[in-house]
Amino acid sequence: MPTDTTAKSRKNYAGTSPLTIASGEKRAVLARHVRNGRLYDAIDQWAFCAVNQSPGARALYDRHHAAGDLHHQALRALGNRLVGLLHGCLRHHAIYDETIAWAHQPEHNSKAA
């Protein structure tokens, strides 16, 4: 993958970003099936492990699950967020920091305080 890619292109390549299909008055949001399968499997495992180890990731997973997403849909949303965080780290030459990565989430801020 070239170094000048965007976060959206990384998420699309990984297959974690949602695919929106719209025609007239109908609109559907589906999972991408055309993707790098091995990369998607690795991100799925990464998201699963992050749920157990990261309070911020757990809060995002719980929020999606509470909104009615199934387990795998919530994991895919978390994986999409993790790919975005990875892109930010690569772009800014920064080391991952849990407090910065999940600082925007109110649930995470109240637990840390």
Side-chain angles (χ1 to χ4, degrees):
M1 200 161 223
T3 57
D4 61 342
T5 57
T6 63
K8 183 177 180 179
S9 65
R10 286 187 198 275
K11 292 174 181 183
N12 291 344
Y13 182 74
T16 59
S17 62
L19 180 63
T20 304
I21 300 172
S23 174
E25 295 179 7
K26 293 184 180 184
R27 181 174 173 256
V29 179
L30 307 170
R32 286 183 188 272
H33 293 287
V34 178
R35 60 187 174 216
N36 181 325
R38 290 182 181 177
L39 179 59
Y40 180 79
D41 290 343
I43 292 170
D44 192 53
Q45 184 65 40
W46 180 22
F48 182 75
C49 293
V51 167
N52 296 323
Q53 298 298 319
S54 166
R58 183 69 200 198
L60 180 70
Y61 173 86
D62 288 343
R63 192 169 52 233
H64 277 275
H65 204 7
D69 288 353
L70 299 175
H71 169 72
H72 198 71
Q73 292 170 326
L75 277 184
R76 189 170 53 246
L78 175 58
N80 194 41
R81 175 76 177 133
L82 291 173
V83 171
L85 292 172
L86 174 64
H87 173 75
C89 290
L90 292 173
R91 184 170 178 229
H92 298 290
H93 305 285
I95 297 173
Y96 174 79
D97 183 358
E98 176 86 13
T99 57
I100 295 171
W102 304 102
H104 68 285
Q105 292 186 0
E107 296 94 9
H108 184 66
N109 290 339
S110 63
K111 288 180 185 177

